Amino acid sequence: MFTIEKHYIDEMIAHARQEAPLECCGVLGGRDGRVLKLYQATNAEHSRYCYNIHSQDLLRINRECEENGWQFLGIYHSHTDSKAYPSPTDVHLAAPWPEPLYFIVSLRDADNPEVRAFRIRDGEVTEEELEIVWHAEGPPVPPP
Amino acid sequence: MTVTVYIPAPFRRLTGNCTYVEGHGQTVAELLDELKTRYPALGDMLQNEAGELPTHIHIYVNNQEIHSLQGKATPLNDGDEVAVIPAIAGGQDLTPEQTLRYSRQIMIPQVGSAGQRKLLDAKVLIVGAGGLGSPAAVYLAAAGVGTLGIVDSDELELSNLQRQILHHTADVGRPKVDSAQETIARYNPDVRVIPHRVRLTSANAMEIIAQYDMVVGAVDNFVTRYLLNDACYLAGKPYIDGGVFLFEGQATVFIPGRGCYRCLFPAPPPAELAPSPSQVGLLGVLPGVIGVIEAVEALKLILGLGESLAGRLLIFDALAMEFRQVSTRRDPHCPLCGDAPTIHELGDYEASPSSPLAGHHEA
């Protein structure tokens, strides 16, 4: 179970919609399992089918997190016309970053965007249940 | 040279949990070799089976990614800070249906799945949904070119159907961009069609062309051809041109900096020598041949394969059944792409007295 504030979910969806039909990508930085900042990144591939966080964005985000004593808690990207599940390529390229949770925003159903999160370690994909809250200390947001 | 190497969190287990390690070398390549000796597990991450630096590892020298410097030959100075950070990347794979649909071209070693993804990601603008644009659009769509823009302001006439295979008898009177969109959707639902039901003009050309990777010209008049030529050069986009007349057709490719239509034909022919397209006889299959050649050139450019027609004008004589080619080259005196250009923006093409054909996009 991973607890995340609703506005981060909304920001990921908004970023995906803004970049559509291209894939968007970014990083959730934070500490002790709590997300403290969402970093939008440039997709260096400018692609509908793949993402690659621009090398200068990656360096900048990594530096800021280091300076704050934060980790990469999450990495997100969008699937504009397929389901919110990691593709084999997503799994393969996740190998160097086993710690963060991988969030995928699916816009396949434009009116009902879906956000799901996965652990990807040693080629194994495990879905992580999300507890979405208004505020970190508050109760969960009731389902729609 | 002694440098400091920053090790990001995911690699720290490979360096005894050190965030910074010292490294030595005159160049990045030497530094990497030295790191491999001292930290073999890190070394495994920094080379692929061929011993090369994997594409998913970013190396920075003083905050600059080395591909923007001199790659692995980037020189190092005492006190430089080097960072080694794995890329964060992923990608959708072809769906089982796509793998099957495009299997015959995925089998081509130079295409493969990676090439198919390039095609699905490509954005091609086809100007004219007529005799040339129809076969070009049909084959590009069937090949899985993911985004096709179609520019045409006309409605379909019965006399178009002898060659314009994007449209059907029931479409007579409808906007051609509408029937084109429907036909393409029936061929291949993977393709996103962007209809532009406008006449291409100086006012809208740059904005439309900017949304695409390249342009297939499928026009039958000199006004639009010069406009497209100039707009593509100014936008830095490849322009694939085709034309037909009676039993003869021509095709070529203009890559910015390697010559343009004005290098070949500095001025449009006088009006009396350029008859109205609807008054010229045309074997319907001829634009079919030339339009398909334009599609081949577009696919080659997207896939980065072979020799494009840039620098060559291909001439097809249907009666002799002969293809000839003439070499073309950039003219240093060209007013558009020459050494001292005088054309810096799109002009007033309609006003040209020698261009009575404005408004027609079909061939």
Side-chain angles (χ1 to χ4, degrees), chain A residues 3 36 120 130:
Chain A
T3 303
L36 296 167
I120 307 178
L130 292 179

Side-chain angles (χ1 to χ4, degrees), chain B residues 206-350:
Chain B
M206 295 306 289
E207 190 194 333
I208 293 174
I209 287 172
Q211 304 165 38
Y212 298 90
D213 305 326
M214 66 187 67
V215 175
V216 172
V219 303
D220 65 351
N221 68 86
F222 290 102
V223 171
T224 316
R225 186 169 275 123
Y226 279 88
L227 169 64
L228 265 181
N229 177 69
D230 296 0
C232 288
Y233 176 78
L234 294 171
K237 311 272 179 172
Y239 169 40
I240 301 161
D241 184 51
V244 285
F245 186 75
L246 298 176
F247 296 103
E248 198 175 280
Q250 300 181 346
T252 188
V253 173
F254 299 111
I255 308 271
R258 295 178 60 189
C260 75
Y261 195 76
R262 287 181 187 273
C263 298
L264 208 51
F265 304 108
E272 55 275 20
L273 295 182
S276 171
S278 58
Q279 301 306 313
V280 177
L282 183 62
L283 199 61
V285 71
L286 191 69
V289 173
I290 299 298
V292 168
I293 288 172
E294 292 190 78
V296 174
E297 290 302 295
L299 294 178
K300 280 162 57 186
L301 287 177
I302 295 166
L303 294 166
L305 291 182
E307 297 294 320
S308 88
L309 276 176
R312 292 181 290 158
L313 176 68
L314 184 71
I315 301 167
F316 172 54
D317 179 341
L319 289 184
M321 195 45 80
E322 218 173 56
F323 285 94
R324 289 177 290 128
Q325 17 178 308
V326 293
S327 293
T328 62
R329 61 191 170 87
R330 177 178 159 273
D331 178 359
H333 303 295
C334 173
L336 179 68
C337 70
D339 296 337
T342 54
I343 300 173
H344 303 289
E345 56 185 27
L346 299 181
D348 186 0
Y349 298 80
E350 309 286 336

Side-chain angles (χ1 to χ4, degrees), chain B residues 169-228:
Chain B
T169 306
D171 297 321
V172 170
R174 297 180 65 205
K176 286 192 192 174
V177 288
D178 290 356
S179 47
Q181 186 167 22
E182 284 175 19
T183 303
I184 291 169
R186 284 210 297 276
Y187 272 112
N188 189 349
D190 272 351
V191 179
R192 186 167 60 112
V193 175
I194 304 180
H196 299 275
R197 194 186 168 196
V198 293
R199 195 153 56 82
L200 206 70
T201 65
S202 306
N204 61 21
M206 295 306 289
E207 190 194 333
I208 293 174
I209 287 172
Q211 304 165 38
Y212 298 90
D213 305 326
M214 66 187 67
V215 175
V216 172
V219 303
D220 65 351
N221 68 86
F222 290 102
V223 171
T224 316
R225 186 169 275 123
Y226 279 88
L227 169 64
L228 265 181

Side-chain angles (χ1 to χ4, degrees), chain A:
Chain A
M1 170 93 79
F2 187 86
T3 303
I4 183 167
E5 290 168 51
K6 183 171 184 299
H7 67 96
Y8 293 119
I9 300 283
D10 295 341
E11 279 178 60
M12 286 188 270
I13 293 170
H15 189 198
R17 284 184 164 146
Q18 182 193 322
E19 294 296 319
L22 305 183
E23 286 197 10
C24 75
C25 52
V27 171
L28 301 166
R31 189 168 43 204
D32 303 327
R34 179 172 170 194
V35 177
L36 296 167
K37 184 165 177 179
L38 180 145
Y39 296 92
Q40 292 193 1
T42 301
N43 178 0
E45 300 286 344
H46 297 288
S47 166
R48 293 164 68 189
Y49 298 96
C50 45
Y51 75 98
N52 188 351
I53 291 185
H54 193 281
S55 58
Q56 288 307 129
D57 285 353
L58 180 61
L59 184 70
R60 174 179 58 80
I61 297 166
N62 191 75
R63 158 154 320 128
E64 191 178 314
C65 286
E66 285 277 4
E67 285 169 0
N68 291 330
W70 299 349
Q71 295 97 42
F72 285 13
L73 294 182
I75 290 168
Y76 72 89
H77 74 281
S78 58
H79 283 177
T80 51
D81 50 18
S82 66
K83 62 186 174 182
Y85 193 85
S87 68
T89 306
D90 290 337
V91 174
H92 175 67
L93 293 177
W97 293 96
E99 291 302 324
L101 201 51
Y102 285 81
F103 288 80
I104 301 178
V105 182
S106 169
L107 299 180
R108 188 166 56 166
D109 179 352
D111 296 328
N112 297 295
E114 188 184 21
V115 179
R116 292 168 68 184
F118 304 87
R119 296 269 169 216
I120 307 178
R121 284 180 187 155
D122 301 325
E124 293 286 320
V125 178
T126 322
E127 181 154 12
E128 182 91 9
E129 196 183 333
L130 292 179
E131 181 187 50
I132 299 172
V133 295
W134 293 111
H135 302 289
E137 313 303 330
V141 174

